[in-house]
Amino acid sequence: MEEIEARFDELPAGKFRKSSTGWPDAWSFSAPLEGRDDFLKAVRWFCSNTSVEWGHLLTPLVTGIRVSGPFQPDWVPAGQSYKHVFVDTQGLDHEKPTTELSSETTSMFAKVQNILFVESGKDGLKSQSARKVMEAIAGSGYRANLTVALTHMDLVVGDDIPTAEDRKGKAFSGLRSLIENEVSRNVSRDAAKQLAEHLERSTFYLGYLDPKKYPEGWDAQDKAAFDTSLGADLSTMTDHLVE
């Protein structure tokens, strides 16, 4: 306990809220706009997992972290309002395997305007998490709030999918199969049909989200063109969530 308590001494200046026993319940910190880098470095003590800082991090003790500020993506047009609250939950595959979503997760459905399910498109949505999400949403009446973002579309390859539209069709076929087989059987056929129809217009496809993994043959012009295209896709998805 003393060694853990000593880790709090390494934190930058901030404000603690402590229990009656003196144990820190919460910590808050703010910085001016020009101190953005200092702010993010301070936050890392509560969320980082880098091995070089093991023994100093408070990450294992944290149950939640809230960050607010003038954070805005580069692809948002100048002068356009971009005020959103994102609640990023623990990855579902990090939880212990169960047949249903936790009540902690499903209780959030009624508190948010959108449910954004992010999954890799290259795996054909074969994970148990995807099945649990689709069944829980179809069964609880929050279908209209659901949007799916399929990532890693650059890894969806094959001789039978030569074009971008073919890749999208291949990725969505995995989602459709999951709904037609699992949701139809475990919820109802009508719920499965309505969910599939909704997701045909509420699914977005994203690739190369990590610029470090751009194709080696791309020059600066190729990268800039793709950045513009990706920004447009993310902007379209954001508009969809707002609407």
Side-chain angles (χ1 to χ4, degrees):
M1 291 295 290
E2 291 176 351
E3 289 181 5
I4 293 174
E5 247 182 327
R7 297 188 188 188
F8 291 102
D9 296 334
E10 299 184 33
L11 292 174
K15 185 177 181 180
F16 278 111
R17 188 183 73 213
K18 297 185 177 183
S19 68
S20 57
T21 64
W23 181 259
D25 281 334
W27 179 83
S28 60
F29 177 76
S30 61
L33 184 61
E34 59 272 16
R36 183 178 186 274
D37 290 343
D38 292 335
F39 179 80
L40 294 178
K41 286 179 181 178
V43 170
R44 84 178 192 274
W45 295 109
F46 299 94
C47 59
S48 175
N49 62 356
T50 178
S51 61
V52 297
E53 292 172 347
W54 285 354
H56 303 276
L57 298 170
L58 289 160
T59 305
L61 302 179
V62 177
T63 55
I65 182 168
R66 183 171 64 187
V67 179
S68 64
F71 301 112
Q72 182 165 302
D74 293 336
W75 43 261
V76 176
Q80 181 173 311
S81 176
Y82 187 85
K83 295 182 179 179
H84 302 285
V85 176
F86 295 95
V87 181
D88 184 18
T89 63
Q90 175 177 296
L92 298 180
D93 285 333
H94 295 179
E95 298 176 349
K96 294 179 180 178
T98 60
T99 57
E100 297 180 350
L101 288 184
S102 68
S103 58
E104 183 179 359
T105 299
T106 55
S107 67
M108 294 179 63
F109 290 173
K111 302 176 183 177
V112 298
Q113 293 170 312
N114 294 284
I115 303 167
L116 179 61
F117 180 62
V118 183
E119 178 71 293
S120 172
K122 72 181 180 70
D123 297 326
L125 286 98
K126 297 175 182 176
S127 71
Q128 288 297 309
S129 296
R131 178 188 62 77
K132 290 188 291 186
V133 167
M134 298 305 152
E135 289 181 2
I137 291 175
S140 58
Y142 289 100
R143 180 191 72 251
N145 295 34
L146 176 64
T147 296
V148 172
L150 296 180
T151 63
H152 296 85
M153 289 300 296
D154 48 294
L155 300 180
V156 181
V157 295
D159 294 337
D160 58 333
I161 44 177
T163 68
E165 288 303 313
D166 291 329
R167 285 197 291 275
K168 292 179 182 179
K170 179 75 171 180
F172 190 78
S173 67
L175 183 57
R176 182 188 291 110
S177 176
L178 183 153
I179 294 171
E180 291 178 349
N181 293 306
E182 303 293 341
V183 177
S184 178
R185 182 180 62 198
N186 298 325
V187 183
S188 74
R189 289 185 177 181
D190 284 343
K193 180 181 179 182
Q194 293 170 5
L195 182 60
E197 290 175 350
H198 169 73
L199 289 181
E200 284 181 358
R201 56 184 183 276
S202 300
T203 300
F204 294 83
Y205 306 88
L206 305 169
Y208 292 121
L209 292 178
D210 184 354
K212 299 187 188 72
K213 296 182 180 179
Y214 283 169
E216 293 183 3
W218 282 11
D219 58 21
Q221 188 173 357
D222 294 328
K223 294 177 181 178
F226 181 78
D227 286 346
T228 300
S229 174
L230 177 59
D233 289 341
L234 293 169
S235 182
T236 299
M237 185 172 74
T238 303
D239 290 340
H240 173 84
L241 295 173
V242 172
E243 290 168 6

